[in-house]
Amino acid sequence: MSALGYAAVAAQTGAVVAGAPLLTGLMRQVRARLEGRAGAGVLQPLRDTRKLLRREPIAPAGTGPAFRTAPALLVATTLVVATLVPLLSTDTPVAGRADLILVVALLALGTVTLALAGLDTGTAFGGMGASREMTIAALVEPTLLMAVFALSIPAGTTNLPAIVDGAVREPDRLASPAGLLAAAALVVAVLAETGRIPVDNPSTHLELTMVHEAMVLEYAGRDLALVELGAQMRLTVLLGLLASLFVPWGIATSASVGALLLALVAFAVKVALLGAALAAAEVFWAKVRLFRVPELLAGSFLLALLAVTASYFLSGA
Amino acid sequence: MSDSAYVQLLDLACGAFLLAAVVILWRRELAAIVRTFALQGVALAAIALLLGLHEGRADLVAVAAGIGVLRAGVLPYLMRRALTAATADRRPYDTGGAEGRETRPVVNVAASLLAAAALTLLAYAVARPLVELDPSPATRALPVGLAVVLIGFFVLVTRRRALAQVVGFLLLDNGITATAFLAASGVPLIVELGVSFDVLLAMLVLQLLTARMRAAFGTTDLDDLRELHD
């Protein structure tokens, strides 16, 4: 029983680490095909990582521990989130500790370490990227919390596995206005948190309003590989969280080998579909001006707040 | 229709009704605002229709049909006509006028969205004693109507374009109608008809007014009307 639970946690973490580069490759491939290019193939991020791992990391002169520890911290926080969030099974040994507030705080910790590293380089680019990242993060975190609170009111707890468990057993929680509004708000928050198109352009170093790229501009070699892996894993975990909360079917609610394998396949399919849909949508979207980003995020925060009020008042609390 | 399905559908219609009001605050293009307003009319008609079906009252269903025709058909059509009249004589790519957009609202969009959140919470807080008088699925959604009334007021006072202010006025009226339906299953038919005609007349008058304003000043920005001319 507990052995299976630990196996579920290990499988989930392994799936995120192994699947994150593949997901990024898939998204780039979808984009390339839609734009009429051949694309580099799904395995290209893995090849990039291999290439970077062979090179020595170079730290700019004058950088301190903030710069050097940031890549490891980013990957570590994301790994902990990947073990906690119920991606495959709601019945794991860590399920009791997988609280929403803890997960959001860990994500925020990763963001802060990277922003500090960007400041630590002392370049204008790094500082600008860090300040923008913090602006966006300050607007995104409340939205993330609020959107999931709307789902945690009917469940009566902020424990993520309990929320997913309740949604599997009572699907009409998700078809309510609160569920739909929360889904819309969470999608916008995930896009902003992972620096996708409407907020930030992930595929260029030459963007005036770049956010994420500006902070990691000074990294090289193994450190850069870690930073890239951390960003890819964050995207995978957040898409997985989205899938678990709003499309919870296929997640194992009890410990059995068959259910676990089914959940693994379902997780891969759901996240791949979400990623492909996101990549396809990005082709048609333009990036929002940086000064319009607060507007977008205020809108999504409002949606999340409406979701919370609707779930509190309309459900006859 | 089973009870649980009725509650689900009513909640969904109320959610769409409130969401449309929020989207009106969010968008800048007047054409998109008018489209969203038409969708809100559909949601309002759906609320009335659901109540009519649930209580088995034919007159409510008739009122729902009337509301659907007026608020999702006639009023958006009139507004679209006013809008095309306002933008037709502009050359394409003429950015000087920007008649088709709410360029500089008095309160910027992010702040007005946060204000809408506060107004919604206020509506919930104010409506609590009302809901406790007779808790039922319909009265529980009562705050949604009040919130739309408040958001309508907000649009009315923070927008500069005449047409956007008209939409604010109509939002106000939509909210009042929704509140009436949810609280008391609708006002008497004759009152509803009278109010609808009033709104239609007001709309026609405002359309004439915008046309005359454009002829006189070349813009529908009401902030330009500060001083008297002879």
Side-chain angles (χ1 to χ4, degrees):
Chain A
M1 154 65 218
S2 73
L4 255 180
Y6 284 111
V9 174
Q12 175 172 310
T13 316
V16 170
V17 176
L22 291 176
L23 176 73
T24 310
L26 174 77
M27 286 172 76
R28 282 184 196 164
Q29 191 65 16
V30 167
R31 247 194 105 145
R33 280 297 154 92
L34 282 173
E35 289 171 354
R37 296 183 280 119
V42 177
L43 299 176
Q44 188 56 40
L46 281 173
R47 288 194 282 266
D48 284 344
T49 310
R50 193 184 61 193
K51 176 189 74 180
L52 287 172
L53 283 175
R54 287 190 196 137
R55 300 182 174 182
E56 61 166 336
I58 295 175
T63 51
F67 182 83
R68 245 155 284 155
T69 53
L73 265 174
L74 177 72
V75 173
T77 51
T78 318
L79 266 179
V80 177
V81 171
T83 53
L84 288 178
V85 173
L87 299 175
L88 295 188
S89 163
T90 57
D91 183 23
T92 57
V94 294
R97 295 192 175 78
D99 197 82
L100 161 73
I101 296 167
L102 175 65
V103 167
V104 174
L106 281 168
L107 285 172
L109 183 62
T111 311
V112 169
T113 51
L114 208 54
L116 281 177
L119 282 174
D120 198 21
T121 57
T123 58
F125 252 148
M128 231 163 55
S131 94
R132 286 169 177 182
E133 177 82 0
M134 287 335 287
T135 309
I136 292 172
L139 294 163
V140 168
E141 306 299 341
T143 309
L144 273 178
L145 281 172
M146 276 280 179
V148 187
F149 278 155
L151 297 175
S152 71
I153 288 175
T157 167
T158 53
N159 182 293
L160 284 170
I163 295 174
V164 173
D165 212 22
V168 171
R169 269 187 269 108
E170 293 178 43
D172 30 321
R173 272 185 202 172
L174 301 175
S176 65
L180 298 176
L181 288 171
L186 201 60
V187 167
V188 178
V190 166
L191 288 179
E193 181 75 14
T194 53
R196 303 304 300 186
I197 264 278
V199 178
D200 184 15
N201 191 340
S203 59
T204 172
H205 286 279
L206 304 169
E207 182 83 30
L208 257 184
T209 57
M210 61 190 184
V211 181
H212 179 84
E213 292 290 345
M215 290 187 298
V216 303
L217 207 56
E218 303 283 338
Y219 278 110
R222 285 198 291 275
D223 286 347
L224 182 59
L226 274 182
V227 169
E228 298 264 318
L229 181 70
Q232 290 163 1
M233 273 166 53
R234 278 171 84 101
L235 179 65
T236 314
V237 166
L238 280 166
L239 285 183
L241 180 66
L242 201 63
S244 296
L245 286 173
F246 295 101
V247 201
W249 296 280
I251 291 181
T253 49
S254 62
S256 79
V257 179
L260 202 59
L261 287 175
L262 178 71
L264 194 58
V265 174
F267 168 69
V269 169
K270 278 190 291 197
V271 173
L273 278 178
L274 266 178
L278 178 58
E282 276 184 346
V283 175
F284 299 99
W285 284 337
K287 210 176 80 57
V288 179
R289 272 177 53 210
L290 184 75
F291 299 107
R292 297 285 293 278
V293 167
E295 213 171 278
L296 180 78
L297 294 175
S300 76
F301 176 73
L302 175 60
L303 289 184
L305 192 76
L306 289 180
V308 172
T309 49
S311 102
Y312 180 65
F313 286 97
L314 293 181
S315 63
Chain B
M1 182 163 48
S2 72
D3 263 357
S4 70
Y6 156 73
V7 172
Q8 285 264 320
L9 285 171
L10 187 69
D11 283 358
L12 206 57
C14 288
F17 184 69
L18 183 57
L19 193 60
V22 169
V23 172
I24 285 175
L25 269 182
W26 200 341
R27 299 300 300 267
R28 280 199 172 83
E29 283 80 12
L30 291 178
I33 287 178
V34 173
R35 270 200 305 274
T36 316
F37 175 77
L39 286 178
Q40 192 182 37
V42 173
L44 182 61
I47 292 174
L49 182 71
L50 283 167
L51 283 166
L53 289 176
H54 184 66
E55 297 176 14
R57 285 170 50 185
D59 59 336
L60 262 184
V61 177
V63 169
I67 283 180
V69 169
L70 180 69
R71 313 221 166 171
V74 178
L75 294 179
Y77 167 74
L78 287 175
M79 279 193 276
R80 223 166 288 143
R81 265 186 49 184
L83 188 64
T84 44
T87 49
D89 52 357
R90 303 260 161 205
R91 292 187 306 280
Y93 315 116
D94 179 10
T95 51
E99 273 304 290
R101 303 189 71 220
E102 176 69 45
T103 38
R104 289 180 304 113
V106 181
V107 176
N108 71 38
V109 173
S112 53
L113 285 172
L114 291 179
L119 289 174
T120 311
L121 289 178
L122 178 71
Y124 275 112
V126 169
R128 281 201 89 153
L130 287 175
V131 175
E132 276 162 17
L133 289 176
D134 177 23
S136 74
T139 51
R140 230 176 256 128
L142 191 61
V144 171
L146 283 178
V148 173
V149 171
L150 292 172
I151 291 175
F153 262 127
F154 190 78
V155 173
L156 201 51
V157 296
T158 58
R159 298 293 140 133
R160 289 177 200 268
R161 297 259 167 256
L163 198 68
Q165 295 195 1
V166 169
V167 171
F169 168 72
L170 292 172
L171 269 186
L172 189 64
D173 190 65
N174 270 356
I176 291 169
T177 313
T179 311
F181 274 119
L182 292 168
S185 311
V187 286
L189 187 57
I190 192 77
V191 177
E192 181 58 47
L193 282 178
V195 170
S196 293
F197 273 118
D198 269 353
V199 171
L200 193 57
L201 272 177
M203 183 66 222
L204 287 168
V205 169
L206 283 162
Q207 201 190 346
L208 284 174
L209 193 68
T210 50
R212 297 298 301 271
M213 265 176 59
R214 249 182 348 90
F217 305 100
T219 173
T220 57
D221 191 333
L222 293 179
D223 281 19
D224 293 347
L225 307 184
R226 284 280 166 78
E227 38 195 88
L228 292 169
H229 294 270
D230 49 2

